[in-house]
Amino acid sequence: MLNIVIFGAPGSGKGTQSARIVEKFGINHISTGDVLRAEIKNGTDLGKTAKGYIDQGQLIPDVLMIDILASVLDSFKESKGVIFDGFPRTIAQAEALKQMLAERGQQVSIMLDLEVPEDELMTRLIKRGQESGRADDNAETIKKRLVVYHSQTAPLIDWYKAEGQYCHINGLGTMEGIFNEIAGAIEKL
Ligand code: AMP
């Protein structure tokens, strides 16, 4: 079973590339950001809690996120594989994912790190905010999300290198070119 972690700063193209991977490899997709946005839309208690953090550009607490992830993962028991998009975002989440997969006799197959320069991330996110109206895609919140990415999420690069699962992907270029690099890395597994 393929367990792919797609990793990168906000605006690095994780969602876009995940959709292509799902289409080509026929695996399931977990986007924790999408899960949280659906909860907000449905006005659930979880949604109300999540909104406070998301609007501030902060991460939702690990315990909450790990619970959400575990319940989504359980719904994919018969799956050919899963792409984890936006999770893990902290070392604690990466350790929890490792344990959850180990309990199922599995492990992360590859961690794809989509690297994109910071000025390009800003440009993409501002544009996405204007087009989609996503509340956290405004200049002030984007800056906070990038600070959070560098302090809490980027340390996962070394963590996955130590696990031997790290794969660097140049996230600058055409959507097609980036996808070809990703598909090549997955096909080698
Ligand atoms: P995303 O759509 O992946 O950019 O996520 C949007 C927002 O949802 C993030 O800025 C966080 O506030 C929250 N979020 C999504 N995934 C996680 C996660 N794994 N851990 C903590 N917060 C998350």
Side-chain angles (χ1 to χ4, degrees):
M1 186 167 160
L2 277 176
N3 291 298
I4 300 169
V5 171
I6 191 152
F7 183 87
S12 58
K14 299 188 294 292
T16 307
Q17 294 297 335
S18 292
R20 308 288 304 272
I21 297 170
V22 166
E23 197 185 319
K24 184 171 171 77
F25 295 96
I27 60 179
N28 289 102
H29 178 211
I30 301 180
S31 157
T32 45
D34 285 351
V35 171
L36 296 169
R37 281 184 288 275
E39 296 283 338
I40 294 173
K41 202 166 158 219
N42 294 331
T44 63
D45 286 345
L46 171 60
K48 285 176 193 141
T49 307
K51 188 172 175 3
Y53 292 98
I54 293 178
D55 288 351
Q56 289 305 312
Q58 300 300 316
L59 296 183
I60 276 72
D62 284 333
V63 267
L64 213 56
M65 274 330 294
I66 290 165
D67 270 1
I68 296 171
L69 205 274
S71 59
V72 184
L73 199 54
D74 278 337
S75 68
F76 291 158
K77 278 204 178 98
E78 307 301 322
S79 161
K80 270 171 69 180
V82 181
I83 176 147
F84 298 91
D85 164 8
F87 188 102
R89 262 180 158 96
T90 62
I91 303 264
Q93 291 181 15
E95 280 167 351
L97 178 62
K98 184 178 178 178
Q99 194 186 331
M100 276 186 257
L101 291 176
E103 282 162 6
R104 293 163 176 78
Q106 294 172 42
Q107 60 174 3
V108 167
S109 317
I110 193 167
M111 183 267 217
L112 301 164
D113 176 22
L114 283 172
E115 198 194 6
V116 175
E118 195 110 347
D119 54 345
E120 171 72 10
L121 294 172
M122 279 299 283
T123 310
R124 287 187 191 179
L125 290 167
I126 298 273
K127 185 160 173 266
R128 187 172 74 183
Q130 286 162 349
E131 287 169 359
S132 73
R134 214 177 112 165
D136 57 346
D137 283 342
N138 63 76
E140 194 192 333
T141 313
I142 293 167
K143 280 186 198 138
K144 288 187 193 159
R145 284 157 65 205
L146 291 172
V147 169
V148 166
Y149 169 77
H150 288 296
S151 62
Q152 299 188 53
T153 306
L156 286 174
I157 292 175
D158 282 341
W159 195 89
Y160 276 105
K161 280 182 181 166
E163 294 285 305
Q165 293 158 341
Y166 180 84
C167 174
H168 177 266
I169 301 285
N170 179 5
L172 259 193
T174 63
M175 221 190 286
E176 204 58 41
I178 299 165
F179 180 66
N180 287 341
E181 196 181 333
I182 290 177
I186 296 173
E187 274 156 0
K188 268 196 251 147
L189 290 171

